[in-house]
Amino acid sequence: DTEVTQTPKHLVMGMTNKKSLKCEQHMGHRAMYWYKQKAKKPPELMFVYSYEKLSINESVPSRFSPECPNSSLLNLHLHALQPEDSALYLCASSSPGGVYEQYFGPGTRLTVT
Amino acid sequence: KQEVTQIPAALSVPEGENLVLNCSFTDSAIYNLQWFRQDPGKGLTSLLLIQSSQREQTSGRLNASLDKSSGRSTLYIAASQPGDSATYLCAVWGNNDMRFGAGTRLTVKP
């Protein structure tokens, strides 16, 4: 099973709301990733977790807060977002290290109003 | 800082043609290069992964090559089909970062 699932598929939130995105995989991968993809642009890496520890944070604003509660789950907590944060948020997983294939989920389409 | 470029930005071909998509990168210190396809509004589907020590990978009608020293990769699609229509992205992992090209939007006409 090479499936990464993400919930919800769509999310509309106001700038004062707090919401969370969820990602799950059951491939035994110990590295998980969050990417942000704006319309008609390539994905941009936000965070990397390796063995449930945050290993890479690509200078993402603090209104995005990642969490990896166990090896299968990855959350992205959202608070006080701006309209320009509207994008497709993609989760991926792989074996740790840089040489392994990343598997992506279908994404959460986020709209900030 | 790694920069990844894909040429052409868009490509339209009749069904049955063989075609080549190009990807170039500026820093040869990479661990791997991965090709993806993305359908509109969807996530990424992994097509092929080439590790830095490899020269090519094949899967069905797809063949990807890597020339790390020159900073180039190509994705060859044989006997294209309308179902191949999508955006194709290449991405390189190096220096704790995954960098994507802007993609090639492929249309295969019946």
Side-chain angles (χ1 to χ4, degrees), chain A residues 70-87:
Chain A
N70 61 54
S71 60
S72 300
L73 280 175
L74 185 66
N75 298 319
L76 186 63
H77 303 297
L78 313 172
H79 173 54
L81 294 192
Q82 304 296 310
E84 58 265 28
D85 296 321
S86 298

Side-chain angles (χ1 to χ4, degrees), chain A residues 6 33 35 37 40-45 48 55-56 58 88 90 97-107 109, chain B residues 31-32 34 36 38 40-49 51-52 89 93 96-103:
Chain A
Q6 291 187 242
Y33 313 78
Y35 291 84
Q37 186 177 24
K40 300 190 185 300
K41 297 291 187 182
E44 295 178 345
L45 184 64
V48 180
S55 62
I56 298 173
E58 292 282 356
L88 181 68
L90 296 162
V99 299
Y100 301 105
E101 190 170 4
Q102 290 192 27
Y103 295 90
F104 279 74
R109 174 74 60 188
Chain B
Y31 288 101
N32 67 47
Q34 197 167 350
F36 297 91
Q38 186 173 32
K42 305 293 185 182
L44 277 65
T45 300
S46 178
L47 299 173
L48 289 165
L49 172 77
Q51 296 183 3
S52 62
L89 296 157
W93 181 268
N96 286 327
D97 194 10
M98 183 85 144
R99 291 280 170 174
F100 283 81

Side-chain angles (χ1 to χ4, degrees), chain B residues 27-40:
Chain B
D27 186 350
S28 61
I30 65 170
Y31 288 101
N32 67 47
L33 184 145
Q34 197 167 350
W35 283 93
F36 297 91
R37 70 172 276 168
Q38 186 173 32
D39 295 289

